[in-house]
Amino acid sequence: MTKYIYIFSIIGISILINQANALKCWRCSSDASGAAFCQDPFESDLVSEQQRRWSYVDCSFPPQAQLPYGQSANTRPVCKKIKQVINDKVVVSRSCSWEDVNASADACLRQNNPSYIKTEFCETCSYDGCNGATFSIKCWECRSDNDPKCSDPFDNSTLSITDCRQVQPKDHLPGVKATMCRKIRQKVHGQWRYIRSCAFIGEPGIEGDERFCLMRTGTYNIFLEYCTCNSKDGCNTALAVKKNVWLLVCCFTTVVLNLLKQH
């Protein structure tokens, strides 16, 4: 019995770790039935739990199945977002894709299409849920140590929202654009601080669900909470629920160890 518990525990932990590391992307098309949420801006509030299961998918599948003959095997999984005019109708599509590791984010924009299809926007990205972003996003930017209204509850009555396209690029992230909003809540030496800004990297919510945030704790009474979103302009205002994938792994491991002790 102990042997089987050990085997199943290893399998369970492996599944949790793979889920934490796998690239997940939105897969939908605005012209499909029941997929109005796929339009731009992306309406995550309209996504039901059932739609989320088949629209927010693992894109880390083997590339051999879809690479065209002669393409370099030096590829990576990415999320793709494309806006096209097809027979005079605007269609927004989001999907998984594979590309050469050296390809630019907008390389797909230069692909050839039939005359009745005009591609207005096409871009890839490589973090969870990134193709749920709007084509341009505006976020609140402030710090509570400079402006107390930046704390929770948030008061934006004296602030102007920031177009993230105008934010200065980061020197350590060449070519990376700010496509998300972020709210950071941190406690350092007993003092709470709130930081709201445009975000260049990270994952919107947890597994695409922006109601959840990542939580980190450390020594010396340090607490950090990262809430990232890209569903709509100004989304970094709200409170969210804390969640940590690795905390689930630890809890699962603890339960298994207790079972092993009983046997």
Side-chain angles (χ1 to χ4, degrees), residues 48-254:
S48 66
E49 288 302 317
Q50 181 178 2
Q51 287 174 319
R52 186 179 298 277
R53 283 194 291 271
W54 57 258
S55 295
Y56 192 64
V57 298
D58 179 2
C59 291
S60 302
F61 46 82
Q64 289 81 2
Q66 72 170 57
L67 286 178
Y69 180 78
Q71 184 172 341
S72 169
N74 191 24
T75 58
R76 62 179 179 181
V78 291
C79 303
K80 179 189 286 187
K81 176 182 173 182
I82 184 168
K83 180 181 180 181
Q84 296 177 311
V85 178
I86 304 176
N87 289 327
D88 298 324
K89 180 181 179 180
V90 176
V91 178
V92 177
S93 300
R94 306 168 198 270
S95 63
C96 299
S97 186
W98 283 78
E99 67 179 15
D100 189 277
V101 293
N102 297 315
S104 62
D106 63 348
C108 56
L109 188 61
R110 294 181 287 277
Q111 293 179 350
N112 294 325
N113 293 306
S115 58
Y116 61 89
I117 298 177
K118 178 184 177 183
T119 301
E120 295 187 343
F121 177 94
C122 187
E123 197 166 88
T124 59
C125 50
S126 55
Y127 56 87
D128 288 349
C130 58
N131 63 338
T134 57
F135 293 111
S136 63
I137 193 166
K138 296 179 181 179
C139 306
W140 299 106
E141 291 208 307
C142 61
R143 296 177 59 101
S144 63
D145 50 352
N146 294 329
D147 184 353
K149 292 182 178 180
C150 194
S151 303
D152 280 335
F154 182 52
D155 180 359
N156 59 18
S157 59
T158 59
L159 294 174
S160 296
I161 199 165
T162 299
D163 186 341
C164 293
R165 291 176 299 181
Q166 309 302 321
V167 173
Q168 187 72 21
K170 303 294 184 182
D171 293 336
H172 63 288
L173 297 172
V176 179
K177 301 176 183 178
T179 59
M180 299 172 290
C181 300
R182 177 168 292 137
K183 169 191 164 186
I184 298 176
R185 187 167 70 104
Q186 60 182 17
K187 182 181 181 183
V188 181
H189 303 305
Q191 298 293 321
W192 284 101
R193 296 177 183 174
Y194 295 79
I195 303 171
R196 304 173 197 269
S197 65
C198 297
F200 289 80
I201 58 175
E203 172 192 356
I206 300 292
E207 296 186 356
D209 193 334
E210 295 182 359
R211 294 174 299 173
F212 297 103
C213 300
L214 284 174
M215 181 181 65
R216 296 286 185 266
T217 57
T219 56
Y220 304 107
N221 196 22
I222 295 176
F223 172 91
L224 290 172
E225 181 185 77
Y226 298 87
C227 303
T228 309
C229 58
N230 62 8
S231 58
K232 60 183 179 181
D233 290 340
C235 58
N236 59 337
T237 60
L239 297 169
V241 181
K242 297 178 284 293
K243 185 178 179 181
N244 193 320
V245 173
W246 295 107
L247 181 61
L248 296 177
V249 174
C250 293
C251 292
F252 183 83
T253 304
T254 302

Side-chain angles (χ1 to χ4, degrees), residues 11-26:
I11 294 174
I13 292 172
S14 298
I15 291 173
L16 285 173
I17 292 175
N18 286 335
Q19 288 178 342
N21 293 331
L23 175 66
K24 292 188 175 181
C25 305
W26 289 102

